[in-house]
Amino acid sequence: MKVTIKDVAKYAGVGVGTVSRVLNHGSVKETTRHKVEAAIKKLNYQPNTYARGLKANRTNTIALIIPTIWHPFFSEFAYYIEKYATAMGVKLFLCNANHNSEKEYEYIQMVKRNKVDGIIGITYSNIDQYLSSHLPFVSIDRHFSEDVVYVTADNEAGGRIAVQELIKRGCQSVCFIGGYQQIPNETKKRRQAFERTCQEQAISYSILDLEEPILDLDKQLTSFFLSQPEIDGVFAINDTMALDVITCLKKLNKSVPEDVQVIGFDGQKISEHADYLVSSIVQPIDQMAKMAVQRLTEIIDGKQVVKRTVLPVKFVPGDTTLFVQT
Amino acid sequence: MKVTIKDVAKYAGVGVGTVSRVLNHGSVKETTRHKVEAAIKKLNYQPNTYARGLKANRTNTIALIIPTIWHPFFSEFAYYIEKYATAMGVKLFLCNANHNSEKEYEYIQMVKRNKVDGIIGITYSNIDQYLSSHLPFVSIDRHFSEDVVYVTADNEAGGRIAVQELIKRGCQSVCFIGGYQQIPNETKKRRQAFERTCQEQAISYSILDLEEPILDLDKQLTSFFLSQPEIDGVFAINDTMALDVITCLKKLNKSVPEDVQVIGFDGQKISEHADYLVSSIVQPIDQMAKMAVQRLTEIIDGKQVVKRTVLPVKFVPGDTTLFVQT
DNA sequence: TCCTATTTTGGAAACGATTCCATTTTAATA
DNA sequence: TATTAAAATGGAATCGTTTCCAAAATAGGA
C-alpha cells in the first residue's frame, strides 16, 4: 500500500541512494534519472515528511502567533504572512494566543520539538523572554529584549502625522484615546509622538489612557467626552478603537466628521477589496509581513540579521475627517 | 547540545524503553518514573516530533483551506477551527487558496506526504473530487461528490426566514442579490428558498444574479436599482454583498432602512467584541467549526461518520432593517 | 590496449522515537 | 522458604529518509 523509497529503488533497479539523489541535489546519470523518475511516477511515490525531517532537522514550517485571527488587522497580516511564506516554500502554523500565555508557551515548546523552524509573533505577553535566547523569532511591533529581531511600522511618525492632519483640518482641541495593551511595545510611541507634537504645535490636548483589560469601554468613553465637550479631534490608538469612539460620539449626537474628526491607526479594511473603515494612519501591512518572513528566513539560515526594521506609514483620509485641499 | 531519549535514559540510569513508557502509556514503577521525570526536567528533554511521526504515522496536524483569511467570515471560522483543534491537541496549517487550485492541490499532496492528518476546506474549485476518495476531508458548505463529508448551515431556512422578516417589516417588493460563486454549493439554496418563499407568500420579487468574476459591481448594482425603483427590501447573498448594496443605495439617495431594508447572510462581525455589520441571517460559525473538527477527527480515527451535518441559522436584526414588535 | 582520474552507484549507518520480546525483578501464595 | 505468577525493565528492531564511503563503471590519455 504505502510506497517507500525502497520500492522505487527496486522497481527502477537501482539503489536507494540513487533514488534519493534524484530527489534532491543529484549527480545522477541521465538514463538512470529517467528510470527513477518513471518509477516514481508509476508508483506514485511521495516522500515521507517525517523521515525527511528526522534527518534534515528542518521542516520548512513556521508558526504565526497572534492574539486572534478574528480581527481585520491580524487577518490581513496573516494573509500576507501566508502569502510570502508560501512563496518561499514555507508552510504556516496558525496560533491564536488569545492573551493566553500558556498557549504561547506551548507553541514555543513546539519549536523546540522541531516541529517548526521559527516563529513570527505579535504578542503582548512576555514570550520573547523565552525566545531571546537562540530560537529563530521575529517580533512585530515589539522589542522587549535586546536580541529580538523586530519589524514595526513607524509609529512615531504616525502619531506626529495624525496631529498634523487634525490641525490641518481645523481642529482646536484634540485628544488621544488608547489603552488596550499594557506591556511596553512600539505602539506606545503613537501616544508619545502625539503628545510631543501637540506641545510643539501648541494645541490644546488631552489623553485618555484606558487600563487593560478594558471594562465598560462605552461608559468610559461617554464620560470622557461629556467632560470634555470642546474636543473636536480624536486620534485613536487603532481603528477598532476609532470605531468604538465613533459609535459613542453618535450616541452623544455629535456628528463625525462635522463636529468631531477621528483618525485611527492601522488602516483596517475588512477584506481585500473593501474600503477602509475610517480615516487612518495606514501601516504597510503587506511590507511588514514580507519583511518579517524575510528576516525570519535569514535567522533560520544563520545569516547576519538587521535587528530593527521600521517601515513608513501614511495618512489615508476616509469619511471620518473633513476634506481639505492638498 | 540536543537531548535525545538516550541521554535521558543514561542520565536516569534506565533503558530507553522505560523512558518511552514514562512518556506514553506507561506501566512503570513509581520510583523509576520519578527518576525518569527528574532526568527529563533536568535535561530539558523535548521529544522529537519527526521521530515520533515516523513511527506513529500520525501528525496531529490538520490543514484549513479557505479562499482567504482576510475576510471576516473566514477569519472567524478559522478562529474557531483553531480553537477546537487546539483543544483536541491538533495543530493547524493555514492555507489561503485564493482561488488558486494549484495551491489547493499542493495541500492535498501534503496529506499524502503525511504532513497533515486531514483537511477542512471551504473551497470553490473542485478540490473535493481529489479528496472524496479516501483522504480525511471535511467540506464546508459544499458537497460536490457523494462521499464528501460536509458541514453546512441551514441555508434553506435562511432564505425563507429572510423573506419572512422583510415581509414582516412591511416590504412590498423584494429582491435577491447574489453571485460571487459559480460552482454548485449549499449557498445556492439561499436563492432557491428566497424565490420559493416569495412565490408562496405572493410578494413581488426579482433576482440579480451576478456572474463571477464580478466586474463593476457598483455599476451593476446601480443600474439594477435604477431600473427597479420600487424595491424596498433586499436579501443579499452575504454580508459583504449587503455592505456593497448599502453603499450603492446611499449613493442613490435611498436611506437604509427607511427606504430600503437590507438583510445579509453570515452574521459578520469584524472581531469578537464588535457589533454585527448588518441585519443578517447568522450562521452558527462556532458550531460549524466545532462540528467540522469533530467530523474530521472521526474520519481520521476511522470511525463511521455522518456525511451531512446541517446547523440552524437565525435572524439577527441590526441597523439595516426596521424595528418591529416581536 | 592499459592505466589512471573521474563520475556514478549501491548500501550501511544514522536520525530519534516506539514497540515488542526476552529477561529480570517483585509480589503472592503455599 | 520455595515456587510461580505478575509486573517492570532493557535493548534490539523498526519506521523512511539522507549521507557518506567504498566499490564499480566510465572516460580520458598515453
Side-chain angles (χ1 to χ4, degrees):
Chain A
M1 185 72 256
K2 179 149 287 184
V3 184
T4 76
I5 201 171
K6 271 188 194 162
D7 300 315
V8 176
K10 197 185 294 173
Y11 189 92
V14 301
V16 290
T18 305
V19 177
S20 178
R21 252 158 282 157
V22 170
L23 254 36
N24 310 302
H25 49 73
S27 106
V28 192
K29 197 165 51 162
E30 204 54 21
T31 55
T32 23
R33 156 164 274 128
H34 286 322
K35 272 194 298 182
V36 172
E37 280 169 348
I40 288 173
K41 185 161 282 178
K42 173 73 179 178
L43 300 176
N44 191 26
Y45 165 72
Q46 296 284 350
N48 180 308
T49 311
Y50 281 79
R52 279 194 160 165
L54 183 56
K55 287 273 342 173
N57 211 42
R58 173 102 184 236
T59 69
N60 288 318
T61 298
I62 63 176
L64 174 65
I65 303 187
I66 52 180
T68 163
I69 188 68
W70 186 7
H71 185 286
F73 180 77
F74 299 128
S75 72
E76 180 176 354
F77 189 74
Y79 174 84
Y80 285 114
I81 291 285
E82 199 271 351
K83 174 178 167 179
Y84 290 112
T86 303
M88 303 191 69
V90 171
K91 299 277 175 261
L92 186 71
F93 268 121
L94 175 65
C95 177
N96 294 310
N98 248 331
H99 302 282
N100 179 341
S101 54
E102 270 183 49
K103 254 185 108 176
E104 287 188 358
Y105 187 70
E106 165 59 23
Y107 265 75
I108 296 161
Q109 295 305 93
M110 229 176 71
V111 184
K112 295 194 180 158
R113 271 178 261 138
N114 18 355
K115 210 165 184 168
V116 301
D117 298 334
I119 293 182
I120 293 174
I122 305 183
T123 163
Y124 302 127
S125 75
N126 51 0
I127 176 180
D128 25 39
Q129 289 174 335
Y130 303 106
L131 291 169
S132 58
S133 44
H134 307 291
L135 298 174
F137 178 63
V138 171
S139 173
I140 305 299
D141 275 348
R142 182 97 189 287
H143 60 131
F144 198 56
S145 82
E146 275 313 306
D147 335 308
V148 173
V149 173
Y150 69 102
V151 174
T152 179
D154 193 342
N155 291 281
E156 176 91 30
R160 180 164 32 79
I161 293 171
V163 175
Q164 290 166 346
E165 295 291 339
L166 287 172
I167 292 176
K168 195 192 290 182
R169 284 167 177 73
C171 292
Q172 311 268 330
S173 174
V174 298
C175 72
F176 171 87
I177 298 182
Y180 276 126
Q181 308 114 22
Q182 82 277 52
I183 293 190
N185 61 56
E186 287 283 308
T187 66
K188 296 284 174 204
K189 296 195 173 162
R190 299 175 192 173
R191 180 193 189 290
Q192 290 161 11
F194 169 87
E195 189 157 12
R196 187 159 27 72
T197 311
C198 284
Q199 288 164 356
E200 284 168 13
Q201 304 279 325
I203 185 174
S204 137
Y205 74 94
S206 58
I207 285 177
L208 176 60
D209 245 334
L210 299 158
E211 294 258 339
E212 199 190 347
I214 299 178
L215 309 163
D216 272 329
L217 172 60
D218 191 52
K219 210 161 147 188
Q220 292 196 56
L221 288 177
T222 304
S223 72
F224 175 77
F225 283 115
L226 284 176
S227 72
Q228 312 226 27
E230 74 282 6
I231 286 173
D232 58 2
V234 177
F235 173 40
I237 183 80
N238 57 40
D239 289 345
T240 310
M241 179 63 91
L243 288 171
D244 291 329
V245 167
I246 292 165
T247 306
C248 175
L249 287 170
K250 278 186 182 157
K251 276 192 202 143
L252 296 173
N253 280 318
K254 303 230 186 192
S255 61
V256 176
E258 290 78 10
D259 300 330
V260 183
Q261 300 185 60
V262 179
I263 293 180
F265 208 112
D266 282 354
Q268 276 176 19
K269 301 187 283 187
I270 60 174
S271 66
E272 194 161 2
H273 302 292
D275 295 324
Y276 284 106
L277 293 171
V278 298
S279 297
S280 186
I281 306 296
V282 176
Q283 302 199 51
I285 304 186
D286 183 333
Q287 285 306 304
M288 289 170 69
K290 187 176 184 178
M291 291 311 298
V293 172
Q294 191 171 314
R295 292 280 179 264
L296 186 61
T297 312
E298 287 167 3
I299 300 174
I300 293 170
D301 291 342
K303 294 190 191 145
Q304 196 63 35
V305 177
V306 176
K307 289 270 196 284
R308 178 181 149 94
T309 306
V310 179
L311 297 166
V313 299
K314 65 167 192 267
F315 174 70
V316 173
D319 313 323
T320 61
T321 45
L322 295 171
F323 179 77
V324 292
Q325 208 68 29
T326 44
Chain B
M1 186 72 258
K2 178 149 286 182
V3 186
T4 75
I5 200 169
K6 270 188 194 161
D7 301 314
V8 175
K10 198 184 292 173
Y11 189 92
V14 301
V16 290
T18 305
V19 177
S20 177
R21 251 157 282 156
V22 169
L23 254 37
N24 309 304
H25 47 75
S27 105
V28 192
K29 198 165 51 163
E30 206 53 20
T31 55
T32 22
R33 155 164 277 130
H34 286 321
K35 274 194 297 182
V36 172
E37 279 168 350
I40 287 174
K41 185 162 282 179
K42 174 73 180 176
L43 300 176
N44 191 25
Y45 166 71
Q46 295 286 348
N48 180 306
T49 310
Y50 280 79
R52 279 193 160 167
L54 183 55
K55 287 259 9 160
N57 210 40
R58 173 103 183 234
T59 70
N60 289 318
T61 299
I62 62 175
L64 173 65
I65 303 186
I66 52 180
T68 164
I69 189 68
W70 187 8
H71 185 286
F73 180 77
F74 299 128
S75 72
E76 179 176 354
F77 189 73
Y79 173 84
Y80 285 114
I81 290 284
E82 199 271 351
K83 175 177 169 182
Y84 290 112
T86 302
M88 303 191 69
V90 171
K91 302 275 175 264
L92 187 70
F93 269 123
L94 175 65
C95 177
N96 294 311
N98 247 330
H99 302 284
N100 179 341
S101 53
E102 268 182 51
K103 257 183 104 175
E104 292 187 354
Y105 188 70
E106 165 58 23
Y107 266 75
I108 297 164
Q109 295 304 96
M110 242 175 63
V111 183
K112 296 195 180 156
R113 269 178 266 137
N114 21 13
K115 207 164 187 169
V116 300
D117 298 334
I119 293 181
I120 293 174
I122 306 182
T123 161
Y124 302 128
S125 72
N126 50 1
I127 176 180
D128 24 43
Q129 289 176 334
Y130 301 106
L131 291 168
S132 58
S133 45
H134 309 290
L135 301 173
F137 177 62
V138 171
S139 173
I140 306 297
D141 275 348
R142 180 96 190 286
H143 60 133
F144 197 59
S145 81
E146 275 313 307
D147 333 309
V148 173
V149 172
Y150 70 103
V151 173
T152 179
D154 193 342
N155 291 281
E156 176 92 29
R160 181 164 31 79
I161 293 169
V163 175
Q164 289 166 348
E165 295 291 338
L166 287 172
I167 291 176
K168 195 192 287 180
R169 283 167 176 74
C171 291
Q172 310 268 329
S173 174
V174 297
C175 73
F176 171 88
I177 298 182
Y180 276 129
Q181 309 113 19
Q182 81 275 52
I183 293 189
N185 61 56
E186 287 282 307
T187 66
K188 295 284 174 203
K189 296 193 174 163
R190 298 176 191 173
R191 180 194 189 289
Q192 291 160 11
F194 169 87
E195 188 158 13
R196 186 157 27 72
T197 312
C198 283
Q199 288 164 356
E200 284 168 13
Q201 305 278 327
I203 186 175
S204 137
Y205 73 94
S206 58
I207 285 176
L208 176 60
D209 246 334
L210 299 158
E211 295 258 340
E212 201 192 345
I214 298 178
L215 310 163
D216 273 328
L217 171 60
D218 191 53
K219 210 161 148 189
Q220 292 195 55
L221 288 176
T222 304
S223 72
F224 175 77
F225 283 116
L226 283 176
S227 71
Q228 313 225 28
E230 73 283 6
I231 287 173
D232 58 2
V234 176
F235 174 40
I237 184 79
N238 57 41
D239 289 345
T240 310
M241 179 63 91
L243 288 171
D244 290 329
V245 167
I246 291 164
T247 306
C248 175
L249 288 169
K250 279 184 181 159
K251 275 194 202 141
L252 296 174
N253 281 318
K254 303 232 186 190
S255 61
V256 177
E258 291 78 10
D259 299 331
V260 182
Q261 300 185 60
V262 179
I263 293 180
F265 208 111
D266 283 353
Q268 276 177 19
K269 302 188 282 188
I270 61 173
S271 66
E272 194 161 3
H273 302 293
D275 296 324
Y276 284 105
L277 292 172
V278 298
S279 298
S280 185
I281 305 295
V282 176
Q283 302 198 52
I285 302 186
D286 183 333
Q287 286 306 306
M288 287 170 70
K290 187 176 184 177
M291 291 312 298
V293 172
Q294 190 170 314
R295 293 278 179 265
L296 186 60
T297 312
E298 288 167 3
I299 301 173
I300 293 169
D301 292 342
K303 293 190 192 145
Q304 196 62 36
V305 177
V306 176
K307 289 271 196 283
R308 178 182 151 96
T309 306
V310 179
L311 297 166
V313 298
K314 66 167 190 267
F315 174 71
V316 174
D319 312 323
T320 59
T321 45
L322 295 172
F323 178 77
V324 291
Q325 206 70 28
T326 43

mmCIF file of all heavy atoms in Angstrom, chain B residues 104-132:
data_model
loop_
_atom_site.group_PDB
_atom_site.id
_atom_site.type_symbol
_atom_site.label_atom_id
_atom_site.label_comp_id
_atom_site.label_asym_id
_atom_site.label_seq_id
_atom_site.Cartn_x
_atom_site.Cartn_y
_atom_site.Cartn_z
ATOM 1 N N GLU B 104 -4.253 24.617 -3.697
ATOM 2 C CA GLU B 104 -5.088 23.602 -3.070
ATOM 3 C C GLU B 104 -4.498 22.220 -3.314
ATOM 4 O O GLU B 104 -4.394 21.398 -2.408
ATOM 5 C CB GLU B 104 -6.513 23.663 -3.636
ATOM 6 C CG GLU B 104 -7.250 24.918 -3.242
ATOM 7 C CD GLU B 104 -8.713 24.893 -3.674
ATOM 8 O OE1 GLU B 104 -9.121 23.956 -4.367
ATOM 9 O OE2 GLU B 104 -9.429 25.829 -3.294
ATOM 10 N N TYR B 105 -4.120 22.003 -4.554
ATOM 11 C CA TYR B 105 -3.585 20.702 -4.909
ATOM 12 C C TYR B 105 -2.317 20.393 -4.115
ATOM 13 O O TYR B 105 -2.119 19.268 -3.645
ATOM 14 C CB TYR B 105 -3.289 20.655 -6.412
ATOM 15 C CG TYR B 105 -2.907 19.286 -6.881
ATOM 16 C CD1 TYR B 105 -3.848 18.262 -6.934
ATOM 17 C CD2 TYR B 105 -1.586 18.986 -7.240
ATOM 18 C CE1 TYR B 105 -3.494 16.998 -7.346
ATOM 19 C CE2 TYR B 105 -1.232 17.733 -7.652
ATOM 20 C CZ TYR B 105 -2.192 16.735 -7.711
ATOM 21 O OH TYR B 105 -1.829 15.477 -8.095
ATOM 22 N N GLU B 106 -1.512 21.416 -3.949
ATOM 23 C CA GLU B 106 -0.273 21.254 -3.174
ATOM 24 C C GLU B 106 -0.575 20.754 -1.759
ATOM 25 O O GLU B 106 0.132 19.918 -1.213
ATOM 26 C CB GLU B 106 0.465 22.583 -3.138
ATOM 27 C CG GLU B 106 1.572 22.703 -2.112
ATOM 28 C CD GLU B 106 2.661 21.641 -2.287
ATOM 29 O OE1 GLU B 106 2.819 21.090 -3.398
ATOM 30 O OE2 GLU B 106 3.335 21.339 -1.296
ATOM 31 N N TYR B 107 -1.664 21.259 -1.208
ATOM 32 C CA TYR B 107 -2.023 20.826 0.138
ATOM 33 C C TYR B 107 -2.493 19.379 0.160
ATOM 34 O O TYR B 107 -2.247 18.652 1.118
ATOM 35 C CB TYR B 107 -3.090 21.756 0.736
ATOM 36 C CG TYR B 107 -2.453 22.840 1.553
ATOM 37 C CD1 TYR B 107 -1.815 23.909 0.943
ATOM 38 C CD2 TYR B 107 -2.430 22.768 2.935
ATOM 39 C CE1 TYR B 107 -1.199 24.897 1.679
ATOM 40 C CE2 TYR B 107 -1.820 23.752 3.684
ATOM 41 C CZ TYR B 107 -1.211 24.813 3.054
ATOM 42 O OH TYR B 107 -0.586 25.772 3.794
ATOM 43 N N ILE B 108 -3.152 18.990 -0.904
ATOM 44 C CA ILE B 108 -3.575 17.594 -0.964
ATOM 45 C C ILE B 108 -2.358 16.689 -1.009
ATOM 46 O O ILE B 108 -2.289 15.656 -0.351
ATOM 47 C CB ILE B 108 -4.448 17.364 -2.203
ATOM 48 C CG1 ILE B 108 -5.708 18.199 -2.081
ATOM 49 C CG2 ILE B 108 -4.811 15.897 -2.329
ATOM 50 C CD1 ILE B 108 -6.449 18.355 -3.368
ATOM 51 N N GLN B 109 -1.383 17.097 -1.783
ATOM 52 C CA GLN B 109 -0.146 16.328 -1.841
ATOM 53 C C GLN B 109 0.457 16.212 -0.449
ATOM 54 O O GLN B 109 1.024 15.188 -0.086
ATOM 55 C CB GLN B 109 0.856 16.996 -2.785
ATOM 56 C CG GLN B 109 0.417 17.029 -4.215
ATOM 57 C CD GLN B 109 0.099 15.648 -4.753
ATOM 58 O OE1 GLN B 109 -1.053 15.227 -4.758
ATOM 59 N NE2 GLN B 109 1.125 14.910 -5.158
ATOM 60 N N MET B 110 0.299 17.282 0.295
ATOM 61 C CA MET B 110 0.844 17.287 1.650
ATOM 62 C C MET B 110 0.232 16.186 2.498
ATOM 63 O O MET B 110 0.913 15.561 3.297
ATOM 64 C CB MET B 110 0.574 18.625 2.309
ATOM 65 C CG MET B 110 1.815 19.364 2.671
ATOM 66 S SD MET B 110 1.424 20.987 3.305
ATOM 67 C CE MET B 110 0.498 20.618 4.761
ATOM 68 N N VAL B 111 -1.046 15.984 2.330
ATOM 69 C CA VAL B 111 -1.692 14.901 3.069
ATOM 70 C C VAL B 111 -1.010 13.597 2.736
ATOM 71 O O VAL B 111 -0.703 12.787 3.607
ATOM 72 C CB VAL B 111 -3.181 14.774 2.708
ATOM 73 C CG1 VAL B 111 -3.826 13.691 3.545
ATOM 74 C CG2 VAL B 111 -3.879 16.087 2.909
ATOM 75 N N LYS B 112 -0.759 13.424 1.476
ATOM 76 C CA LYS B 112 -0.162 12.156 1.058
ATOM 77 C C LYS B 112 1.261 12.009 1.583
ATOM 78 O O LYS B 112 1.723 10.911 1.835
ATOM 79 C CB LYS B 112 -0.181 12.066 -0.466
ATOM 80 C CG LYS B 112 -1.604 12.027 -1.010
ATOM 81 C CD LYS B 112 -1.622 11.571 -2.441
ATOM 82 C CE LYS B 112 -3.040 11.542 -2.978
ATOM 83 N NZ LYS B 112 -3.081 11.660 -4.433
ATOM 84 N N ARG B 113 1.922 13.108 1.708
ATOM 85 C CA ARG B 113 3.273 13.057 2.264
ATOM 86 C C ARG B 113 3.212 13.005 3.792
ATOM 87 O O ARG B 113 4.176 13.301 4.463
ATOM 88 C CB ARG B 113 4.045 14.310 1.827
ATOM 89 C CG ARG B 113 4.802 14.133 0.544
ATOM 90 C CD ARG B 113 5.493 15.414 0.155
ATOM 91 N NE ARG B 113 4.664 16.199 -0.764
ATOM 92 C CZ ARG B 113 4.485 17.498 -0.688
ATOM 93 N NH1 ARG B 113 5.054 18.188 0.255
ATOM 94 N NH2 ARG B 113 3.723 18.118 -1.560
ATOM 95 N N ASN B 114 2.047 12.679 4.296
ATOM 96 C CA ASN B 114 1.764 12.663 5.735
ATOM 97 C C ASN B 114 2.318 13.827 6.532
ATOM 98 O O ASN B 114 2.932 13.646 7.559
ATOM 99 C CB ASN B 114 2.171 11.370 6.423
ATOM 100 C CG ASN B 114 3.215 10.588 5.658
ATOM 101 O OD1 ASN B 114 3.845 11.067 4.724
ATOM 102 N ND2 ASN B 114 3.390 9.375 6.067
ATOM 103 N N LYS B 115 2.114 15.000 6.002
ATOM 104 C CA LYS B 115 2.485 16.146 6.807
ATOM 105 C C LYS B 115 1.283 16.583 7.637
ATOM 106 O O LYS B 115 1.420 17.211 8.660
ATOM 107 C CB LYS B 115 2.927 17.289 5.900
ATOM 108 C CG LYS B 115 3.885 18.229 6.565
ATOM 109 C CD LYS B 115 4.564 19.089 5.527
ATOM 110 C CE LYS B 115 5.669 19.928 6.157
ATOM 111 N NZ LYS B 115 6.507 20.558 5.150
ATOM 112 N N VAL B 116 0.109 16.281 7.154
ATOM 113 C CA VAL B 116 -1.106 16.548 7.917
ATOM 114 C C VAL B 116 -1.980 15.302 7.903
ATOM 115 O O VAL B 116 -1.879 14.470 7.016
ATOM 116 C CB VAL B 116 -1.907 17.738 7.343
ATOM 117 C CG1 VAL B 116 -1.084 18.997 7.356
ATOM 118 C CG2 VAL B 116 -2.412 17.437 5.946
ATOM 119 N N ASP B 117 -2.850 15.232 8.899
ATOM 120 C CA ASP B 117 -3.718 14.066 9.003
ATOM 121 C C ASP B 117 -5.003 14.224 8.200
ATOM 122 O O ASP B 117 -5.662 13.229 7.881
ATOM 123 C CB ASP B 117 -4.093 13.824 10.469
ATOM 124 C CG ASP B 117 -2.869 13.519 11.315
ATOM 125 O OD1 ASP B 117 -1.885 13.020 10.763
ATOM 126 O OD2 ASP B 117 -2.923 13.783 12.531
ATOM 127 N N GLY B 118 -5.347 15.468 7.926
ATOM 128 C CA GLY B 118 -6.594 15.681 7.198
ATOM 129 C C GLY B 118 -6.792 17.143 6.861
ATOM 130 O O GLY B 118 -5.992 17.988 7.251
ATOM 131 N N ILE B 119 -7.856 17.426 6.143
ATOM 132 C CA ILE B 119 -8.098 18.778 5.658
ATOM 133 C C ILE B 119 -9.544 19.202 5.912
ATOM 134 O O ILE B 119 -10.465 18.416 5.738
ATOM 135 C CB ILE B 119 -7.823 18.866 4.142
ATOM 136 C CG1 ILE B 119 -6.332 18.659 3.857
ATOM 137 C CG2 ILE B 119 -8.295 20.186 3.571
ATOM 138 C CD1 ILE B 119 -5.961 18.751 2.403
ATOM 139 N N ILE B 120 -9.696 20.445 6.321
ATOM 140 C CA ILE B 120 -11.014 21.062 6.346
ATOM 141 C C ILE B 120 -10.997 22.143 5.281
ATOM 142 O O ILE B 120 -10.073 22.960 5.248
ATOM 143 C CB ILE B 120 -11.317 21.688 7.715
ATOM 144 C CG1 ILE B 120 -11.451 20.577 8.763
ATOM 145 C CG2 ILE B 120 -12.602 22.520 7.660
ATOM 146 C CD1 ILE B 120 -11.607 21.100 10.186
ATOM 147 N N GLY B 121 -11.971 22.142 4.417
ATOM 148 C CA GLY B 121 -11.902 23.074 3.303
ATOM 149 C C GLY B 121 -13.184 23.803 2.984
ATOM 150 O O GLY B 121 -14.258 23.221 2.959
ATOM 151 N N ILE B 122 -13.057 25.099 2.784
ATOM 152 C CA ILE B 122 -14.121 25.877 2.171
ATOM 153 C C ILE B 122 -13.562 26.255 0.824
ATOM 154 O O ILE B 122 -12.676 27.084 0.728
ATOM 155 C CB ILE B 122 -14.424 27.178 2.936
ATOM 156 C CG1 ILE B 122 -14.698 26.875 4.392
ATOM 157 C CG2 ILE B 122 -15.607 27.898 2.317
ATOM 158 C CD1 ILE B 122 -15.057 28.096 5.210
ATOM 159 N N THR B 123 -14.036 25.607 -0.170
ATOM 160 C CA THR B 123 -13.354 25.781 -1.440
ATOM 161 C C THR B 123 -14.354 25.871 -2.564
ATOM 162 O O THR B 123 -15.402 25.243 -2.542
ATOM 163 C CB THR B 123 -12.384 24.613 -1.681
ATOM 164 O OG1 THR B 123 -12.063 24.557 -3.049
ATOM 165 C CG2 THR B 123 -13.007 23.303 -1.268
ATOM 166 N N TYR B 124 -14.030 26.691 -3.528
ATOM 167 C CA TYR B 124 -14.946 26.874 -4.628
ATOM 168 C C TYR B 124 -14.383 26.317 -5.925
ATOM 169 O O TYR B 124 -14.888 26.566 -6.988
ATOM 170 C CB TYR B 124 -15.309 28.358 -4.749
ATOM 171 C CG TYR B 124 -15.924 28.869 -3.471
ATOM 172 C CD1 TYR B 124 -15.453 29.995 -2.837
ATOM 173 C CD2 TYR B 124 -16.970 28.162 -2.876
ATOM 174 C CE1 TYR B 124 -16.018 30.436 -1.656
ATOM 175 C CE2 TYR B 124 -17.528 28.591 -1.691
ATOM 176 C CZ TYR B 124 -17.050 29.727 -1.088
ATOM 177 O OH TYR B 124 -17.606 30.147 0.090
ATOM 178 N N SER B 125 -13.301 25.594 -5.812
ATOM 179 C CA SER B 125 -12.871 24.867 -7.002
ATOM 180 C C SER B 125 -13.245 23.409 -6.762
ATOM 181 O O SER B 125 -13.913 23.076 -5.800
ATOM 182 C CB SER B 125 -11.372 25.033 -7.230
ATOM 183 O OG SER B 125 -10.654 24.302 -6.285
ATOM 184 N N ASN B 126 -12.798 22.543 -7.605
ATOM 185 C CA ASN B 126 -13.292 21.173 -7.493
ATOM 186 C C ASN B 126 -12.362 20.250 -6.710
ATOM 187 O O ASN B 126 -12.198 19.083 -7.016
ATOM 188 C CB ASN B 126 -13.546 20.597 -8.876
ATOM 189 C CG ASN B 126 -12.334 20.808 -9.752
ATOM 190 O OD1 ASN B 126 -11.331 21.360 -9.299
ATOM 191 N ND2 ASN B 126 -12.406 20.376 -10.977
ATOM 192 N N ILE B 127 -11.775 20.808 -5.689
ATOM 193 C CA ILE B 127 -10.837 20.058 -4.874
ATOM 194 C C ILE B 127 -11.410 18.770 -4.305
ATOM 195 O O ILE B 127 -10.752 17.752 -4.264
ATOM 196 C CB ILE B 127 -10.324 20.938 -3.708
ATOM 197 C CG1 ILE B 127 -9.425 20.152 -2.775
ATOM 198 C CG2 ILE B 127 -11.470 21.554 -2.948
ATOM 199 C CD1 ILE B 127 -8.915 20.996 -1.625
ATOM 200 N N ASP B 128 -12.658 18.772 -3.933
ATOM 201 C CA ASP B 128 -13.123 17.569 -3.245
ATOM 202 C C ASP B 128 -13.194 16.350 -4.148
ATOM 203 O O ASP B 128 -13.296 15.243 -3.664
ATOM 204 C CB ASP B 128 -14.448 17.783 -2.508
ATOM 205 C CG ASP B 128 -15.256 18.893 -3.079
ATOM 206 O OD1 ASP B 128 -15.337 18.982 -4.307
ATOM 207 O OD2 ASP B 128 -15.813 19.659 -2.307
ATOM 208 N N GLN B 129 -13.116 16.591 -5.419
ATOM 209 C CA GLN B 129 -13.002 15.429 -6.297
ATOM 210 C C GLN B 129 -11.750 14.627 -5.957
ATOM 211 O O GLN B 129 -11.786 13.413 -5.878
ATOM 212 C CB GLN B 129 -12.942 15.882 -7.756
ATOM 213 C CG GLN B 129 -14.279 16.416 -8.237
ATOM 214 C CD GLN B 129 -14.205 16.945 -9.644
ATOM 215 O OE1 GLN B 129 -13.142 17.361 -10.100
ATOM 216 N NE2 GLN B 129 -15.326 16.937 -10.332
ATOM 217 N N TYR B 130 -10.661 15.365 -5.759
ATOM 218 C CA TYR B 130 -9.427 14.674 -5.406
ATOM 219 C C TYR B 130 -9.558 13.976 -4.065
ATOM 220 O O TYR B 130 -8.973 12.948 -3.814
ATOM 221 C CB TYR B 130 -8.262 15.656 -5.315
ATOM 222 C CG TYR B 130 -8.003 16.394 -6.588
ATOM 223 C CD1 TYR B 130 -8.350 17.732 -6.713
ATOM 224 C CD2 TYR B 130 -7.409 15.753 -7.662
ATOM 225 C CE1 TYR B 130 -8.123 18.418 -7.888
ATOM 226 C CE2 TYR B 130 -7.179 16.431 -8.839
ATOM 227 C CZ TYR B 130 -7.527 17.761 -8.946
ATOM 228 O OH TYR B 130 -7.307 18.434 -10.101
ATOM 229 N N LEU B 131 -10.312 14.617 -3.204
ATOM 230 C CA LEU B 131 -10.321 14.164 -1.825
ATOM 231 C C LEU B 131 -11.381 13.124 -1.540
ATOM 232 O O LEU B 131 -11.242 12.325 -0.632
ATOM 233 C CB LEU B 131 -10.569 15.364 -0.921
ATOM 234 C CG LEU B 131 -9.419 16.338 -0.889
ATOM 235 C CD1 LEU B 131 -9.860 17.622 -0.225
ATOM 236 C CD2 LEU B 131 -8.249 15.738 -0.121
ATOM 237 N N SER B 132 -12.440 13.159 -2.339
ATOM 238 C CA SER B 132 -13.602 12.359 -1.992
ATOM 239 C C SER B 132 -13.218 10.894 -1.833
ATOM 240 O O SER B 132 -13.900 10.154 -1.150
ATOM 241 C CB SER B 132 -14.664 12.516 -3.069
ATOM 242 O OG SER B 132 -14.128 12.115 -4.306
#
